[in-house]
């Protein structure tokens, strides 16, 4: 399995400063207003927005169709080759976004620059890469959907519509079951594009590295209406037990920027940094053959499962260990990495049925790291504050918590399994959420639902004159602009000594186990 060799380039933060200077010199005095306000977010403040007439023409980010989400079947012999090519697609977008951020002056002087110098060449690279995916699949005897070739072309999103086309349907609420309908949220507004976090000059896209977050990504949670729906009712077949595991908070700083589920065999396949708890030897080159050799941070030594999530950073000017590395500062993920004060991991049952044990090496990804371009269909981010979790859960904004309250990230994973596969080509089809009543559909079986709750002590951001100070943000792909909705969580079930069955039996018997 070959490594993904990446060219060295200057940091995103440096490019953002250059972009800021370009705007000042050649951008016509642009006011970067409301860069990331969703088209469907309610505005409970009624504030006026300041928006220059020509701001709409300015490109905020690059939006490319997610080819991996469209794959339905990849033959075993093609899986590694396809994974490498999907990683190449992500690398190409990352590099194109970096070029977008560093050429603002050229863009101001030439209306066709973005199309001719960035988006056009990107389409050609993507077309060649998608064709290599086709060759890999067909060479291994698989069928290639020729419509995937139409996904080569990318578009740009302007400053005033970076969330265009997103919807609030299919969100998950505090009970962890799939719900229909959106979450009502308050909306902070942004009147200026340059910020001062940690004394650094900021670019038009906001944030310490010039790619978010911005003021409209934050909301005072005390001003948001309650939006948490009631959990589905339980019947006589409900599995009422819980099984808690204690695996620490990654205090030993076990980080990497790989993603063995999505990009096996590819270094820096995630393009952002993950916290890892549980299995201590997970990286791009781990596999079913050596998962059981990893050791674990969990108190139950039979639990070698891997629990990993993007780090949360305080954008205060701190030069972290990865400031000049891929996946870190070179890709717009900057600032002090915050370690959760608590990481509560618990398996819960189904309100409608007994559960079956998770199969060995089952992989689940919950949420979507690319919601800025994919929309919210697979979003499963839940942001709140201690004392507010049963009332308010946010998907599209980071909470500003009142004094004495702490930031909470929570996840409720898919709880239905197809009964056959430990993974799928798009890493989603083999698992699903229960419906609004708590039932698994389409012949899927209920499994213990993994839930996670991460609690952070975060200095409260301050919004002043449309700017944010003390911003915090979750790591992500640079073109995703550090949106709160891109938060996601990853899991690989790895157990020994019959632990998977013990978890299922505990949940089915209504016990409280650990």
């Amino acid at each position: 399995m070959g490594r993904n060799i990446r060219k060295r380039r200057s940091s995103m933060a440096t490019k953002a400063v250059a972009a800021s200077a370009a705007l000042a010199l050649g951008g016509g005095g642009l006011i970067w207003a409301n860069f990331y306000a969703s088209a469907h977010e309610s505005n409970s403040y009624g504030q006026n927005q300041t928006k220059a007439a020509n701001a709409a023409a300015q490109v905020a980010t690059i939006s490319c169709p997610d080819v991996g989400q469209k794959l339905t079947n990849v033959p075993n012999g093609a899986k590694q080759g396809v994974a490498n090519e999907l990683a190449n697609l992500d690398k190409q977008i990352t590099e194109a976004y970096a070029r977008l951020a560093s050429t603002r002056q050229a863009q101001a002087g030439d209306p066709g620059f973005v199309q001719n110098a960035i988006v056009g060449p990107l389409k050609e690279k993507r077309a060649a890469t998608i064709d290599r995916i086709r060759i890999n699949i067909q060479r291994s005897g698989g069928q290639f959907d020729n419509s995937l070739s139409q996904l080569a072309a990318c578009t740009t999103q302007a400053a005033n519509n970076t969330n265009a086309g997103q919807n609030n349907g299919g969100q998950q609420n505090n009970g962890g079951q799939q719900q229909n309908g959106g979450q009502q949220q308050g909306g902070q507004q942004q009147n200026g594009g340059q910020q001062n976090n940690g004394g650094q000059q900021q670019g038009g896209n906001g944030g310490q590295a010039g790619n978010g977050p911005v003021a409209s990504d934050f909301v005072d949670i005390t001003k948001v209406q309650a939006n948490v729906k009631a959990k589905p009712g339980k019947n006589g077949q409900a599995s009422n037990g819980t099984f808690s595991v204690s695996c620490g908070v990654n205090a030993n700083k076990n980080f990497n920027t790989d993603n063995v589920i999505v990009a096996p065999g590819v270094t820096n396949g995630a393009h952002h940094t993950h916290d890892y708890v549980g299995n201590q030897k997970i990286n791009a080159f781990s596999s079913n053959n050596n998962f059981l050799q990893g050791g674990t941070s969990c108190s139950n030594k039979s639990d070698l499962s891997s629990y990993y999530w993007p780090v949360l950073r305080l954008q205060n000017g701190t030069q972290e260990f990865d400031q000049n590395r891929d996946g870190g500062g070179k890709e717009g993920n900057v600032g002090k990495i915050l370690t959760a004060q608590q990481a509560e991991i618990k398996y819960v049952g189904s309100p409608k049925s007994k559960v079956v044990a998770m199969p060995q090496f089952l992989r689940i990804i919950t949420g979507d790291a690319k919601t800025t371009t994919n929309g919210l269909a697979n979003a499963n981010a839940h942001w709140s504050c201690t004392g507010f979790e049963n009332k308010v859960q946010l998907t599209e904004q980071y909470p500003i918590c009142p004094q004495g309250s702490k930031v909470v990230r929570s996840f409720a994973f898919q709880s239905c399994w197809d009964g056959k596969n430990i993974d799928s080509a798009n890493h989603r089809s083999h698992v699903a959420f229960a419906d609004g009543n708590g039932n698994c559909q389409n012949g899927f079986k209920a499994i213990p639902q993994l839930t996670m709750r991460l609690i952070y002590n975060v200095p409260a951001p301050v919004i002043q004159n449309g700017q944010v100070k003390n911003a915090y943000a979750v790591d992500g792909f640079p073109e995703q602009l550090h949106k709160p909705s891109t938060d996601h969580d990853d899991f690989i079930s790895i157990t020994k000594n019959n632990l998977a069955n013990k978890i299922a039996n505990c949940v089915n018997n209504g016990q409280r186990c650990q």
Side-chain angles (χ1 to χ4, degrees):
M1 294 182 287
R3 288 179 178 269
N4 185 16
I5 306 299
R6 298 171 55 87
K7 295 181 180 179
R8 292 178 60 85
R9 61 178 184 267
S10 59
S11 71
M12 292 288 292
T14 301
K15 292 180 178 181
V17 173
S20 177
L23 281 171
L25 292 172
L30 294 177
I31 299 175
W32 292 81
N34 199 24
F35 237 89
Y36 306 109
S38 288
H40 60 274
E41 282 181 355
S42 62
N43 176 7
S44 63
Y45 295 90
Q47 295 176 330
N48 293 325
Q49 299 179 31
T50 302
K51 189 178 298 181
N54 56 353
Q58 292 300 311
V59 175
T61 193
I62 296 172
S63 177
C64 299
D66 192 343
V67 176
Q69 293 295 317
K70 302 296 183 180
L71 292 175
T72 56
N73 187 28
V74 177
N76 286 333
K79 285 183 177 178
Q80 187 57 59
V82 170
N84 288 343
E85 298 303 342
L86 290 174
N88 279 334
L89 291 175
D90 284 335
K91 176 184 174 184
Q92 291 160 7
I93 298 171
T94 296
E95 292 175 342
Y97 179 82
R99 182 159 172 72
L100 177 71
S102 64
T103 57
R104 294 298 186 189
Q105 188 170 10
Q107 295 168 40
D110 179 4
F113 181 88
V114 172
Q115 179 62 41
N116 296 331
I118 301 176
V119 177
L122 177 59
K123 178 182 178 181
E124 294 177 3
K125 292 179 181 178
R126 284 172 58 83
T129 304
I130 293 171
D131 195 52
R132 290 195 296 271
I133 292 175
R134 176 190 64 79
I135 292 171
N136 271 282
I137 291 175
Q138 292 180 341
R139 186 176 288 163
S140 296
Q143 297 294 317
F144 180 77
D145 182 354
N146 289 320
S147 67
L148 296 181
S149 298
Q150 301 173 12
L151 303 181
C154 299
T155 58
T156 59
Q157 292 190 3
N160 64 343
N161 66 349
T162 49
N163 288 336
Q166 295 186 0
N167 63 78
N168 259 342
Q171 295 302 298
Q172 222 181 358
N173 274 324
N174 206 31
Q177 301 296 332
Q178 189 78 351
Q179 303 291 338
N180 294 319
Q183 296 180 345
Q184 186 174 3
Q185 300 177 10
Q188 288 275 9
Q189 298 301 318
Q190 173 201 1
N191 293 326
Q194 296 193 355
Q195 302 176 36
N196 184 8
N197 284 322
Q200 286 191 278
Q201 186 180 11
Q202 308 306 319
N205 284 12
Q208 185 176 320
N211 63 337
V214 293
S216 58
D217 287 326
F218 294 87
V219 64
D220 180 346
I221 198 167
T222 65
K223 298 180 180 178
V224 181
Q225 285 187 301
N227 58 21
V228 174
K229 296 182 178 180
K231 298 178 182 180
K234 296 181 179 181
N235 64 17
Q237 297 299 312
S239 41
N240 295 319
T242 63
F243 193 104
S244 299
V245 298
S246 176
C247 299
V249 295
N250 197 30
N252 60 329
K253 302 185 184 303
N254 183 12
F255 302 123
N256 68 54
T257 66
D258 300 339
N259 192 332
V260 69
I261 297 178
V262 175
V266 179
T267 300
N268 192 41
H271 297 268
H272 53 265
T273 298
H274 289 119
D275 275 312
Y276 284 82
V277 301
N279 198 297
Q280 293 296 285
K281 297 294 183 181
I282 300 294
N283 58 41
F285 304 98
S286 304
S287 69
N288 294 352
N289 294 329
N290 57 28
F291 280 151
L292 291 170
Q293 302 168 15
T296 182
S297 67
C298 301
S299 57
N300 186 333
K301 298 307 176 184
S302 294
D303 186 3
L304 283 88
S305 298
S306 180
Y307 309 91
Y308 61 104
W309 55 84
V311 299
L312 192 68
R313 298 188 195 239
L314 180 63
Q315 294 197 350
N316 63 352
T318 295
Q319 304 289 299
E320 262 294 356
F321 76 94
D322 59 353
Q323 176 67 27
N324 298 312
R325 299 184 188 180
D326 288 336
K330 287 177 68 176
E331 296 184 272
N333 294 304
V334 296
K336 180 182 179 181
I337 293 176
L338 300 173
T339 300
Q341 290 194 327
Q342 296 180 54
E344 300 174 357
I345 302 174
K346 182 186 299 184
Y347 296 87
V348 301
S350 164
K352 301 299 182 182
S353 70
K354 303 302 182 184
V355 300
V356 300
M358 286 186 178
Q360 187 78 317
F361 307 135
L362 176 68
R363 291 139 165 91
I364 309 179
I365 299 173
T366 197
D368 186 355
K370 300 178 180 179
T371 58
T372 302
T373 50
N374 284 348
L376 296 176
N378 291 312
N380 193 25
H382 290 84
W383 297 91
S384 193
C385 303
T386 54
F388 291 82
E389 295 169 77
N390 293 330
K391 296 178 289 185
V392 177
Q393 294 287 339
L394 302 170
T395 297
E396 298 180 69
Q397 288 175 298
Y398 296 114
I400 299 176
C401 302
Q403 186 174 3
S405 178
K406 298 179 180 180
V407 171
V408 181
R409 298 164 69 184
S410 57
F411 304 92
F413 282 66
Q414 294 91 316
S415 59
C416 303
W417 171 51
D418 69 4
K420 298 176 292 183
N421 300 295
I422 60 172
D423 200 0
S424 48
N426 61 7
H427 311 295
R428 295 190 185 278
S429 301
H430 64 298
V431 289
F433 290 104
D435 65 19
N437 294 319
N439 295 300
C440 291
Q441 299 293 324
N442 302 318
F444 279 52
K445 302 177 180 180
I447 55 175
Q449 183 178 38
L450 172 61
T451 65
M452 298 181 63
R453 180 172 177 260
L454 306 175
I455 305 172
Y456 295 84
N457 187 14
V458 181
V462 177
I463 309 295
Q464 293 180 342
N465 299 320
Q467 301 177 21
V468 57
K469 297 181 179 180
N470 268 354
Y472 67 91
V474 66
D475 261 22
F477 292 91
E479 82 282 355
Q480 297 300 313
L481 310 174
H482 294 290
K483 295 292 291 180
S485 60
T486 64
D487 200 10
H488 56 283
D489 208 344
D490 303 76
F491 167 69
I492 306 173
S493 180
I494 310 165
T495 59
K496 59 183 182 179
N497 299 325
N498 203 37
L499 179 60
N501 285 320
K502 291 177 181 177
I503 293 173
N505 290 337
C506 172
V507 169
N508 284 334
N509 293 332
Q511 298 173 297
R512 300 291 181 267
C513 310
Q514 58 185 10

